[in-house]
Each structure stands twice: as C-alpha cells, then as structure tokens.
Amino acid sequence: MENTGPCGDFEKIMVDLESENQIANVAGTNHASTLIAEGKIPEPQLLCRLISGLASNLEKPVHEFAIKRKIYKTLVAIRKAINRNHMNMDSSARLRCLQDHASMVRMWTTQGQLVAVKMVCDIFRLSPANINNTRCVTTFASLMLSPYTTVVHACEDALLSLPPIPGFAFTIARAYCHILIAMPPQSSPQICSVFAMLGRLNQIRMTTVEVDHPRFDDVAVDVLGCLANCKLVVQKKVLNLVVGLLTLKNVYDVLGILNSELVMAASANIHIEYQQMLEKAIRECHSAYPESIPKFTLDPKYAVFTDCICYIKDIMNNNPLLQSQLLKGLLRMLCHVKSPLVCAAAIWTISVFSKSLAETKDAIATLSCLFKDLLDRRKIEKQILGSEMEDEYILPTEYCGVTVQGAQGERQQPWLMEMEELLFVRIGLARQVDGSYDIASSSKSSASSGYPHKVSLELSDNLAFLVHSGDALLADFVENRLSKLVMKAESYNEI
C-alpha cells in the first residue's frame, strides 16, 4: 500500500492549487505530481480536496498544455492508487470526487468509467436526494456519452434499474437539454455529440416510466431550443424527437413554438427544406392530438355548419404559412359560393383567421357589403315576427342536398364538391405529395395584388342568388360573425 503523505505537504499543495497565482498553481501541480509518483497520497478527506484543486486547474485556460498534461497524469495516478488500495472513502467523499472533476470522466479508461457508473448508481440508491445535485447528474450524463460501448451499455442498464428514484431520468434529460441549448454545435465532432445526446433522450423516452414525472412535459419544449442549431440534420433529428415527446399537456406549447418558428423562418427566407420540416412536425402534432387544436364554439342552432367548418379549419390550422393567402382567396372568391353551408364555413374562417387590424377591417367591409341585403331583410323579419320567432328556422333544401358517391366509392357530404371547387379550383390550393398544401404561383400573384375593399353583390354570380333567398339561419350567422369581427377590430385599436 502507498504511504500516506504528510498532511503538511498536501496542505501546502492545496494552498498553491487554490491560489489565483499561476506560478503557485504550477508549483502545487509539480509538488503533487512528485508525491503521488512516490506513492504518497493524503487521507480521503484531503484527497477529495486535492482532486478538486487539480481538476479546477485543468480547466483554467491560462495554463499551458504541458501543465495540463501533468495534471491529467496526476489525476490518473490518483485514481489508480484509489483502486489499488481500495481506499475506504464514504459515499459523500466519493460523490465529491466525481462532482469535482465531472468534465474529465469521459477521459478515463473503460474500467475507470465503469467504476464511476457503479459509484454514481450506488450513491443515488443510498441517497436519492443527490438527484438534485446538478454536477453529479452531469457526471452520469457525461458517462452516457462515453466513447466506450461497454460504458454506454452499463449506463443504459443503470438507467433501467433506477426508475424507483423519483426524477432521475427526467433530471438526466434536462441536463442534456441544457447542454444542447447552451452550446449549439457547429463543427462535425460536436454534431456527433449532439446526435448522441438526442439519441439518449429518445432512449429515456422509450425505456423509462419517467413520462409520468410532473415536469417531464417540459422536456419537449427544452429540446425545441436546439432548433437554434443551423444544421438541417440536427434540426430534423430534434423535430423527430419532439414529436415523440408530445403529451396532451405540452402539445399546445409545442405547436405555438413550431408555428412561431415557421413564421420566422419564412420571413427570414430560411432554407425551404427547414420550413417543410416544421410544417410536417406541425401536422404530426395535430394528427397525434387533434383535440389540441382550439375548438370553435358555435351556438347549437348553427350545428348544421359544423362539418363544413371543420373541413376548412383543419386545412388552415395545418398550413399556417398559407393562412393569409387563403384568407385573401376566400374574400376574393366568396362571390362564387352557392350553398349556405360553404358560405358559412368561408365566413367563419374569415372571421377567425383575420389576424391583423387591416385584415379584420377588410373582412368587415367585404362581408357588410356582400350581405347587406340579407341582413336588412332578416332585421325586418324579426321586427314583424317578434323576438320569440328569432330561433325558428325553415331550412332550405340546400342544407340537405343529396349524398353522392365519391371516386373511391365512399359517400361524400353534399357540400364537399362545392368546397373543393372553391379551394382547389378557384383559389388554387394544391395538395402536395407529403400531405401538405400549397397555392399555385398564379393564384399567389393574384392574392398578393390584393382584393377590392369595396365589393358589390351585383358583380357576384352565385352569391347573389343565395343572399336573395333570404336564408334566416345564414343571416343570423353572418350577423354573429360580423359582431365578432367588430369586437376584434376594437381590441386592436385599444392596443
């Protein structure tokens, strides 16, 4: 067994190592290296302090490479001495040793790292409170990224054996997220490390029960911070992982971030492939949790409009970049609408997706002009019939129609053909191979040129017949949506 070095020598070494003086640091390093080489090591309590002092000097940028190399060799020699002598260090002392040079753990040999994995697991089992110790968790996270396959497998086995410790996998996941967000990698080696960390996060998601942790929902939002990395390969892996981390509690926040990121990417003219990746992730969020899309609330008397509204609502929600163009297209092509169902769906969409003061004012002006006769007629009817007759409607045959057979043999709703004609023929919407939508370039140029703020029902074709039919239910619905638009415009003016 190595000799125990005189406390006085090691105390002096510690004073030098903990000094702010670079020369003293070097002297302390040389002195420690000499004593350790002679087989002298301090008592366990002082040994932890020595390891901490050496590790802190290893991380100082002012030291030359030769000094750092000597520090590293000294630490390796200390570890070998500990293993050879089976030093009786209690769990708290061993924990401090790991904590104080956590950044070096991956530089150890395979056997040394395996010992560290076992040590960390033992410490957590004996004292689960250590899960709140950031540096100890970082040590384990570092070991999970070891270049040695045997160490990685040992970490995987340990991870599966530790779920009884509340929050362990969650804390490891958060540690990875913080590392990724703090240092967005750019070089190839760093990207490899990011891939490894994202892979470990995915493994945690798939192999632990930590999804029940009350804050595990935050992990998906944290991972999205890694989109700051400009590498498409990283961004793609991040988005794939986030979709796997979705829960009912976090999907709304995730959608908000993805939509904001998509708008920013489009406005900054960022690579089109990245925009497509974001759109795909948004669609997958909606597909995984369709109930996460804010539901529209309609008065029960308007229930007949629900299916038609849902059809166009899904398209608008899943294609946020097209919302503005679709909004302009609906206002421009509203004059071609034939049935009250499609008309109501278009009006609902216009009222909900007018997101700016200018869009809201245009919507109010257009709808007020086109439906003035219908609204005036309904107002007179209410005056004649009285308020008790307001909610009694005789629905025209257009609400029922005839269900037709589709091209694939399925039965279609009577309004579907007209809605598809409005969107795909008149507005120019086109479905892409990946399931997303786009608008033909010719239609985009028409939309960008704007639409008249003052329109006339006399210039419309199908809509004129619908307005003159005096549909009471449609009239009340138009009045309802116009009131919503007016309230929206007033709220914009107050800002």
Side-chain angles (χ1 to χ4, degrees):
M1 177 176 177
E2 282 87 344
N3 299 320
T4 301
C7 288
D9 288 345
F10 281 106
E11 288 286 359
K12 184 178 185 307
I13 289 172
M14 291 314 306
V15 171
D16 289 339
L17 290 176
E18 293 170 355
S19 170
E20 296 298 325
N21 187 299
Q22 184 179 351
I23 297 176
N25 294 160
V26 173
T29 299
N30 291 332
H31 194 180
S33 177
T34 301
L35 290 179
I36 297 299
E38 293 173 355
K40 298 176 181 178
I41 53 177
E43 295 296 332
Q45 187 171 1
L46 189 56
L47 177 59
C48 288
R49 187 179 166 195
L50 174 63
I51 293 173
S52 176
L54 290 168
S56 62
N57 275 275
L58 185 65
E59 296 176 354
K60 287 184 178 180
V62 295
H63 291 319
E64 296 179 356
F65 176 76
I67 296 299
K68 291 188 176 184
R69 183 175 178 81
K70 179 173 285 190
I71 293 173
Y72 173 68
K73 287 185 175 180
T74 303
L75 286 167
V76 170
I78 291 173
R79 179 180 55 78
K80 289 180 178 179
I82 292 172
N83 291 338
R84 276 198 304 270
N85 291 282
H86 305 288
M87 292 186 66
N88 185 24
M89 300 173 68
D90 60 22
S91 62
S92 60
R94 288 183 292 166
L95 174 59
R96 286 196 298 273
C97 289
L98 282 174
Q99 289 174 330
D100 291 334
H101 58 293
S103 60
M104 293 180 53
V105 172
R106 285 198 299 148
M107 299 171 64
W108 294 359
T109 62
T110 305
Q111 187 59 36
Q113 292 186 31
L114 289 172
V115 171
V117 172
K118 184 177 184 303
M119 187 183 298
V120 171
C121 292
D122 288 344
I123 290 168
F124 280 136
R125 288 192 181 96
L126 291 171
S127 181
N130 284 315
I131 193 63
N132 296 318
N133 190 299
T134 304
R135 283 192 292 177
C136 196
V137 170
T138 302
T139 301
F140 190 88
S142 180
L143 287 165
M144 288 183 75
L145 297 173
S146 171
Y148 304 115
T149 305
T150 52
V151 176
V152 173
H153 288 328
C155 289
E156 292 171 356
D157 294 339
L159 191 61
L160 292 174
S161 69
L162 287 173
I165 300 176
F168 181 78
F170 166 73
T171 309
I172 293 292
R174 291 300 295 271
Y176 282 141
C177 291
H178 292 157
I179 293 171
L180 290 167
I181 294 170
M183 296 183 294
Q186 301 299 329
S187 66
S188 297
Q190 289 173 317
I191 288 178
C192 291
S193 295
V194 169
F195 278 177
M197 281 186 268
L198 292 174
R200 295 291 168 262
L201 279 169
N202 192 48
Q203 182 186 40
I204 290 172
R205 175 185 69 84
M206 296 175 63
T207 60
T208 73
V209 296
E210 289 290 327
V211 290
D212 294 328
H213 189 280
R215 293 182 59 204
F216 199 86
D217 298 318
D218 298 337
V219 174
V221 176
D222 286 342
V223 171
L224 282 174
C226 306
L227 290 176
N229 188 295
C230 62
K231 301 290 185 181
L232 281 175
V233 288
V234 174
Q235 292 169 331
K236 183 175 182 179
K237 204 168 186 70
V238 167
L239 291 172
N240 289 338
L241 175 59
V242 165
V243 172
L245 291 169
L246 284 176
T247 68
L248 188 58
K249 294 180 181 178
N250 67 22
V251 66
Y252 186 76
D253 291 333
V254 169
L255 275 171
I257 295 172
L258 290 175
N259 280 316
S260 298
E261 183 73 12
L262 181 58
V263 171
M264 184 178 68
S267 61
N269 200 25
I270 294 176
H271 201 287
I272 187 65
E273 187 176 347
Y274 178 51
Q275 298 179 38
Q276 292 171 345
M277 285 159 46
L278 288 168
E279 288 182 324
K280 180 175 180 289
I282 290 171
R283 289 195 300 274
E284 289 177 346
C285 289
H286 286 164
S287 176
Y289 292 95
E291 65 273 25
S292 66
I293 304 172
K295 293 181 173 61
F296 66 93
T297 55
L298 289 178
D299 189 300
K301 66 185 180 183
Y302 302 130
V304 68
F305 299 137
T306 301
D307 288 345
C308 198
I309 290 176
C310 283
Y311 179 86
I312 192 169
K313 175 176 72 73
D314 288 343
I315 293 177
M316 296 293 283
N317 278 324
N318 285 305
N319 299 273
L321 285 181
L322 297 180
Q323 288 178 2
S324 179
Q325 295 174 45
L326 283 170
L327 183 65
K328 292 178 181 179
L330 287 171
L331 283 167
R332 195 174 66 252
M333 296 298 173
L334 194 58
C335 59
H336 299 293
V337 171
K338 305 172 186 176
S339 72
L341 295 171
V342 175
C343 183
I347 291 170
W348 180 89
T349 305
I350 291 167
S351 68
V352 170
F353 289 93
S354 294
K355 298 293 180 65
S356 66
L357 179 59
E359 288 178 344
T360 304
K361 285 184 174 180
D362 284 331
I364 293 173
T366 301
L367 296 181
S368 298
C369 181
L370 290 176
F371 295 96
K372 182 180 183 303
D373 291 348
L374 180 65
L375 294 173
D376 289 345
R377 177 172 174 172
R378 180 58 176 161
K379 183 178 180 180
I380 294 172
E381 284 180 354
K382 289 181 179 179
Q383 291 174 346
I384 296 173
L385 298 175
S387 59
E388 68 277 3
M389 301 294 291
E390 286 187 7
D391 291 343
E392 294 187 10
Y393 305 98
I394 300 176
L395 299 182
T397 56
E398 289 86 347
Y399 282 91
C400 304
V402 179
T403 302
V404 297
Q405 201 78 3
Q408 303 300 322
E410 72 275 10
R411 300 183 69 80
Q412 294 182 325
Q413 295 292 337
W415 48 264
L416 186 55
M417 291 180 64
E418 183 187 348
M419 177 62 80
E420 290 180 341
E421 178 187 354
L422 174 65
L423 295 175
F424 297 102
V425 178
R426 296 192 181 279
I427 296 179
L429 190 67
R431 188 179 180 87
Q432 307 298 300
V433 176
D434 62 356
S436 63
Y437 290 88
D438 197 4
I439 293 180
S441 56
S442 58
S443 299
K444 287 181 181 178
S445 60
S446 299
S448 62
S449 63
Y451 45 83
H453 292 275
K454 291 186 177 181
V455 293
S456 172
L457 187 63
E458 296 176 357
L459 300 177
S460 67
D461 44 23
N462 298 319
L463 185 63
F465 292 101
L466 181 58
V467 168
H468 293 148
S469 70
D471 188 321
L473 182 62
L474 180 62
D476 286 352
F477 186 75
V478 173
E479 183 180 16
N480 174 273
R481 301 322 301 178
L482 269 172
S483 66
K484 301 289 185 185
L485 282 166
V486 171
M487 291 172 60
K488 186 184 291 189
E490 290 174 349
S491 67
Y492 284 129
N493 287 325
E494 292 174 358
I495 297 177

